[in-house]
Amino acid sequence: MQLSGIDEEKGRVRVWLGKEYKLFDFHPYFYIHVQKEGGIEDLLRDQENILNIEPQRKRLFGKELEVYKVTFEDQKSMNSCKRELSDNEIFEEDIPLTRRFLVDNKLVPYGDVSLEKGEIRTEKERSGRELKLFAFDIETHTRNIIDSKKDPIIAISIATSGGRKDVIISKDEKEIIEKFVSAFNEEDPDVVLTYNGDSFDFPYLVERAKKNKISLALGRDGSAVNARRGGVRDTYTIAGRDTVDLYRIVERDLQEVKVKTLDNVAEYLGVMRREDRVLLENDELFELWEKGEIKKIEEYTIDDVISTLEIGKKLLPMQIELCRLVKQFLTDCSRMGRGRQVESYLMYKAAERNELIPPRRYVQSEHMYEGGYVMEPERGLFENVVVLDFASMYPNIMIAYNISPDTYVEGGDEEHCYISPSKHAFLKQPDGFFRQILKELIEERKRLKKSAKSSVDALRQQTIKILTNSFYGYTGWGGARWHKLECAEATAAWGRYTIKKVIEEARKRGIEVIYSDTDSLFCVEKGDMRSFAEEMNSQLPLELEMRERYKRIFFAGKKRYAGLQDDGSIVVRGLEVRRGDWCELAKKLQEEVINTILREGDVEKARNMVIEAIDRVKSGKAGVEELTIYKSITRSIDSYETAQAHVAALKRAMDEQQDIEFSNKIGYVVLEGKGKISDRTKISSTLSDKDRIDKDYYIENQIIPVALRILEHFGITKEELLGKKQQNLEKWFSSQG
DNA sequence: ACGGGTAATGC
DNA sequence: GCATTACC
């Protein structure tokens, strides 16, 4: 039987086991530390619905603590007791009951479970049964600004892993929603997929169902879709099933995709090419509907829903492994930040080790601390450069020096403690909570990497890496239950100490180190670099590895370089090519310049490319797509202190009631005119024939800076690129002799 | 709502 | 000089 959903009921939980619900008595509990005289009986005398009181010895941040485990009939009784006894130290009262049930019974989401004498337990972590996926996407009748109170749904498209593809389209909204509900229940999915469903499809559907007096009964128990209150947006849940908003995963995990629209992400993941699909703007959709051209709308919405389903197929395997690893439901895990995922795992492990789970709180970080060491590179071109780096440097430092929230001691001595270069002390004995866990995880990862039997093992190995690499940041985060800034400070300090030590040792051996960032060093190749790494490894509790070798590499500053690797591939870091806030034309040009310099060493050719690009802009041949600059909106529009170009553009568009595609990324162009740039920006999708692009802006502020970033190091000047001054340019490489 | 370090633009 | 963004 496959475990695929747990829901809460009064005093019990309902577990969906593939075919049916099973009910288990399960009651909430918390731990309380009693300091007052009179003891626990006195304290709890007036409290109602207590089922059990049990003394226990627990640990909290390394200290032994006597607590009582108090079990209540139901959540309500526990909450009221918690409020009344808020002067006391109460722990673990904020763990949701369903999560508690999962953890206490050591269940694994989507694992195979068995029942024995009323007990449930996981038999196999991975069930052989395929999950049934169901993706949907809604279209609405919207002219300008979307309004769920007014604009009806005109179509809902559906795609399932079983191969069903449908568009429910009608002028009768009630009929659409009813057909949708019955189609949904026919399919009886395990996982419901949307792209931005938490912000759009679900709230809209709920609102319209309410308007039409239809119950959105999608739950396995017949219950309606539920909106769980969240900070920025709600999480929509369905009893007995998981919901996944793929947009939230993409936002968190696909940093390399700059504009995260459904079509862009589908293209990036190789699911559907933009040129192969129907794309409609909101106003076009409106026009088509008005004219009754249904066919095109159907094609469009089916492409959207197929993209959603296929993106889901690509992203879900990793998400499922992650939720299994951290023992969290897919619905929750897929929406959590890295910090909370780490924490979910820690909470699970805490129970195993008799550690109390510290309360959740948010502290404004007490003070800033020093992070990784970044060396200022000499700018320009180098040849035959080898990169050495420490594998998982921070987790390994934490293991090596037993850095953990429970081993930190104020004013610890050298005999009993490891003292960091930042003068923080950590007990040498016993193994800290984090050391135990990190050791386990790294061992497991090594094992999986060695065997690597299946693609699932490969995924599992990757999720372990993601998790272990997040521990350092987690300790430094003010929102962490196990927040301990000293741990983060000490880890970073040992990191700086170690990398500087290695740089020094390299230089002693005549190896030229040209750049270093946190855990890596770039060296001009000299003899056998591997033997140097091995020598370091014999002296350090960490592992220095030879990662890659560049035939040529160009440095434009800290965290900004481009290199040609031995295998012929080009790596670019930090430069404008990698950034979403430069126009495509400039980025493309920089990429070509980099390629030309690194592969051919032909500065003159690169220069001519720039001149050509300038000509293209001058003659008006460059398209709007190539000139659009994307920037994020990071807060409410009114709370901006300065008039940013993209914010100003958005404000103007909103004032004019123009329809704008949902997105926190604003794509804009700069138009002709005088004064501030922010006064003459316009959202690309609202451009009309009358609008004149500011060619000078694009030449002066996009093309020239991006080109000079590279070419100024090869003797090229701005005047030369603009054709103002002819220079008899020698090829840079020959002048270098 | 994982960390700090860094460069860059535009007001 | 500061606010803002996006990168490593």
Side-chain angles (χ1 to χ4, degrees):
Chain A
M1 289 177 292
Q2 188 189 40
L3 170 76
S4 51
I6 307 179
D7 304 298
E8 188 178 336
E9 248 184 37
K10 195 178 167 179
R12 53 189 191 176
V13 292
R14 273 175 299 135
V15 182
W16 182 254
L17 295 173
K19 286 194 192 97
E20 54 171 351
Y21 269 116
K22 200 85 198 169
L23 290 166
F24 294 89
D25 281 334
F26 193 65
H27 303 279
Y29 59 87
F30 63 49
Y31 297 97
I32 185 163
H33 175 57
V34 184
Q35 289 151 312
K36 283 203 195 91
E37 279 178 46
I40 188 78
E41 288 79 11
D42 210 28
L43 196 66
L44 296 176
R45 182 165 302 138
D46 300 328
Q47 300 301 321
E48 288 174 352
N49 293 326
I50 291 176
L51 298 179
N52 194 28
I53 303 170
E54 184 192 339
Q56 288 194 359
R57 267 184 100 76
K58 290 264 185 183
R59 267 195 315 277
L60 182 69
F61 287 98
K63 290 199 179 62
E64 297 277 339
L65 200 65
E66 299 276 359
V67 292
Y68 290 92
K69 179 180 174 182
V70 186
T71 308
F72 294 84
E73 173 64 35
D74 54 45
Q75 199 76 40
K76 226 180 114 193
S77 314
M78 185 170 100
N79 290 344
S80 82
C81 176
K82 178 178 83 184
R83 273 193 302 275
E84 284 176 43
L85 302 184
S86 57
D87 295 345
N88 299 269
E89 285 182 277
I90 295 176
F91 299 97
E92 307 195 14
E93 86 294 347
D94 58 347
I95 320 289
L97 194 69
T98 51
R99 175 86 212 293
R100 186 109 253 181
F101 183 81
L102 187 101
V103 169
D104 287 8
N105 290 291
K106 297 189 188 305
L107 303 177
V108 180
Y110 297 126
D112 268 336
V113 292
S114 67
L115 293 171
E116 231 172 85
K117 295 179 203 148
E119 301 273 303
I120 184 168
R121 69 156 186 259
T122 297
E123 292 293 330
K124 274 194 293 181
E125 289 208 359
R126 294 183 196 99
S127 167
R129 184 176 152 260
E130 292 269 323
L131 296 177
K132 285 191 283 177
L133 311 181
F134 181 102
F136 77 94
D137 178 58
I138 70 174
E139 305 300 335
T140 65
H141 190 231
T142 302
R143 188 191 291 274
N144 291 316
I145 307 290
I146 194 149
D147 183 356
S148 63
K149 296 260 188 294
K150 286 209 315 268
D151 309 335
I153 291 171
I154 53 174
I156 302 180
S157 53
I158 291 166
T160 71
S161 53
R164 179 168 179 174
K165 291 179 197 118
D166 264 339
V167 183
I168 307 168
I169 190 161
S170 167
K171 281 182 180 158
D172 180 354
E173 187 184 38
K174 193 170 182 194
E175 183 192 331
I176 296 177
I177 300 174
E178 279 168 351
K179 277 190 177 167
F180 171 75
V181 171
S182 63
F184 184 96
N185 286 306
E186 254 166 54
E187 294 297 325
D188 187 27
D190 300 300
V191 183
V192 182
L193 300 168
T194 59
Y195 197 82
N196 205 34
D198 282 346
S199 301
F200 179 65
D201 301 76
F202 270 120
Y204 209 98
L205 189 57
V206 166
E207 176 72 29
R208 298 310 299 176
K210 201 165 88 188
K211 196 121 202 150
N212 285 282
K213 299 188 171 58
I214 302 168
S215 160
L216 267 185
L218 305 184
R220 276 186 158 138
D221 58 355
S223 65
V225 171
N226 175 257
R228 196 199 293 156
R229 286 266 148 239
V232 187
R233 56 197 140 188
D234 298 344
T235 291
Y236 284 81
T237 63
I238 300 173
R241 316 182 197 276
D242 275 306
T243 59
V244 174
D245 183 348
L246 295 164
Y247 178 64
R248 291 176 75 156
I249 297 171
V250 166
E251 238 185 354
R252 187 189 58 209
D253 297 347
L254 291 191
Q255 299 305 115
E256 59 271 43
V257 184
K258 307 299 174 194
V259 183
K260 296 173 175 62
T261 52
L262 178 58
D263 49 302
N264 276 352
V265 173
E267 170 141 328
Y268 173 79
L269 292 175
V271 157
M272 193 181 283
R273 295 194 308 184
R274 289 184 93 236
E275 59 195 89
D276 294 339
R277 69 170 349 275
V278 178
L279 275 170
L280 291 179
E281 298 279 341
N282 281 349
D283 54 339
E284 292 175 293
L285 182 73
F286 185 85
E287 293 297 321
L288 288 171
W289 181 256
E290 290 286 288
K291 285 189 278 185
E293 289 177 30
I294 303 300
K295 194 98 185 20
K296 196 76 179 270
I297 296 176
E298 283 181 340
E299 286 171 9
Y300 164 66
T301 189
I302 206 82
D303 281 349
D304 268 3
V305 81
I306 290 171
S307 299
T308 305
L309 177 71
E310 296 300 321
I311 289 170
K313 285 186 192 168
K314 290 266 181 194
L315 299 182
L316 276 188
M318 170 77 93
Q319 295 307 310
I320 288 171
E321 282 318 307
L322 198 56
C323 83
R324 284 181 168 141
L325 178 64
V326 306
K327 314 294 188 265
Q328 187 60 267
F329 304 102
L330 181 61
T331 297
D332 301 304
C333 192
S334 64
R335 289 169 173 85
M336 283 176 163
R338 283 280 173 254
R340 291 282 170 238
Q341 288 174 345
V342 169
E343 191 159 275
S344 180
Y345 188 73
L346 289 174
M347 286 161 75
Y348 179 80
K349 289 289 164 184
E352 278 184 4
R353 288 166 167 71
N354 226 23
E355 295 270 348
L356 273 179
I357 298 170
R360 237 202 220 197
R361 61 207 166 132
Y362 285 93
V363 290
Q364 202 59 6
S365 68
E366 301 89 290
H367 59 94
M368 277 282 242
Y369 68 93
E370 203 179 334
Y373 168 67
V374 186
M375 188 180 129
E376 182 69 54
E378 194 185 313
R379 292 167 198 223
L381 199 71
F382 295 85
E383 298 202 325
N384 304 324
V385 169
V386 168
V387 183
L388 303 176
D389 72 354
F390 285 102
S392 301
M393 185 196 227
Y394 283 176
N396 282 315
I397 284 177
M398 294 175 94
I399 290 174
Y401 303 107
N402 205 16
I403 299 171
S404 180
D406 54 335
T407 54
Y408 170 69
V409 277
E410 252 174 280
D413 61 80
E414 259 182 81
E415 193 195 333
H416 302 96
C417 298
Y418 297 110
I419 313 282
S420 76
S422 57
K423 305 288 173 241
H424 294 103
F426 300 89
L427 290 174
K428 289 179 181 171
Q429 298 289 336
D431 274 8
F433 184 36
F434 280 28
R435 183 190 246 178
Q436 292 173 32
I437 291 175
L438 285 169
K439 264 187 183 170
E440 262 177 33
L441 284 169
I442 287 175
E443 279 306 310
E444 172 71 357
R445 174 156 182 249
K446 268 192 195 144
R447 202 182 60 74
L448 287 169
K449 267 182 102 168
K450 228 181 253 165
S451 67
K453 286 194 295 276
S454 62
S455 64
V456 182
D457 284 352
L459 277 178
R460 198 170 159 78
Q461 178 268 116
Q462 285 170 44
T463 60
I464 293 176
K465 185 183 180 183
I466 291 169
L467 198 69
T468 51
N469 285 340
S470 306
F471 273 64
Y472 155 74
Y474 175 80
T475 61
W477 173 41
R481 289 176 191 265
W482 278 275
H483 171 58
K484 198 55 96 182
L485 200 66
E486 291 84 354
C487 290
E489 279 191 87
T491 306
W494 259 306
R496 290 193 302 275
Y497 168 82
T498 308
I499 200 77
K500 283 179 184 170
K501 181 97 187 146
V502 172
I503 292 170
E504 193 189 309
E505 291 298 318
R507 285 181 173 156
K508 269 191 204 159
R509 288 160 182 75
I511 296 169
E512 194 187 350
V513 181
I514 52 178
Y515 180 59
S516 167
D517 185 349
T518 311
D519 61 354
S520 64
L521 57 158
F522 292 62
C523 312
V524 177
E525 189 171 39
K526 183 170 181 289
D528 184 5
M529 300 301 289
R530 226 168 233 131
S531 72
F532 170 69
E534 277 161 21
E535 198 188 334
M536 291 298 102
N537 291 340
S538 65
Q539 299 172 21
L540 295 164
L542 302 172
E543 206 174 331
L544 189 64
E545 291 179 331
M546 197 175 129
R547 190 173 59 186
E548 57 216 356
R549 188 177 172 282
Y550 291 98
K551 276 189 201 142
R552 285 190 184 133
I553 186 164
F554 170 83
F555 283 96
K558 287 177 173 179
K559 297 183 191 285
R560 318 185 111 223
Y561 59 85
L564 171 65
Q565 292 192 317
D566 279 352
D567 66 3
S569 62
I570 281 183
V571 172
V572 182
R573 299 272 178 252
L575 293 166
E576 286 77 2
V577 192
R578 301 271 298 181
R579 300 180 62 99
D581 54 354
W582 288 77
C583 75
E584 199 55 44
L585 181 90
K587 292 201 291 179
K588 195 101 185 60
L589 175 66
Q590 193 182 54
E591 189 175 10
E592 284 166 2
V593 166
I594 287 169
N595 279 342
T596 308
I597 297 286
L598 289 178
R599 287 193 204 281
E600 302 166 46
D602 193 339
V603 178
E604 199 165 345
K605 186 174 168 192
R607 182 198 62 181
N608 288 336
M609 287 172 164
V610 183
I611 292 169
E612 224 172 273
I614 291 172
D615 280 345
R616 248 167 65 72
V617 172
K618 267 194 186 151
S619 61
K621 279 184 210 145
V624 177
E625 335 74 67
E626 292 177 274
L627 301 175
T628 298
I629 298 162
Y630 291 93
K631 277 208 172 84
S632 300
I633 297 286
T634 60
R635 63 191 80 173
S636 78
I637 294 177
D638 304 310
S639 52
Y640 277 94
E641 285 184 45
T642 51
Q644 299 264 357
H646 64 303
V647 182
L650 180 63
K651 265 189 181 164
R652 279 191 285 277
M654 293 204 309
D655 287 344
E656 287 166 40
Q657 294 265 303
Q658 284 166 319
D659 96 88
I660 301 144
E661 187 73 11
F662 106 82
S663 178
N664 59 350
K665 280 264 196 248
I666 303 299
Y668 67 92
V669 290
V670 178
L671 301 178
E672 281 180 356
K674 286 199 191 78
K676 287 185 294 184
I677 290 161
S678 57
D679 287 339
R680 46 200 175 82
T681 51
K682 193 161 187 192
I683 303 224
S684 294
S685 59
T686 67
L687 235 49
S688 74
D689 297 341
K690 287 176 289 183
D691 294 314
R692 292 274 163 268
I693 298 281
D694 184 350
K695 292 167 184 168
D696 284 339
Y697 172 84
Y698 282 94
I699 293 166
E700 286 283 331
N701 299 46
Q702 293 277 320
I703 294 180
I704 299 276
V706 153
L708 283 182
R709 196 90 59 223
I710 315 292
L711 292 177
E712 67 175 347
H713 299 282
F714 300 88
I716 303 269
T717 63
K718 180 177 168 183
E719 286 69 31
E720 207 177 328
L721 294 176
L722 288 168
K724 282 180 186 158
K725 197 174 82 181
Q726 281 301 318
Q727 233 183 29
N728 190 7
L729 184 88
E730 292 168 274
K731 276 195 180 174
W732 185 84
F733 276 82
S734 57
S735 79
Q736 294 293 297

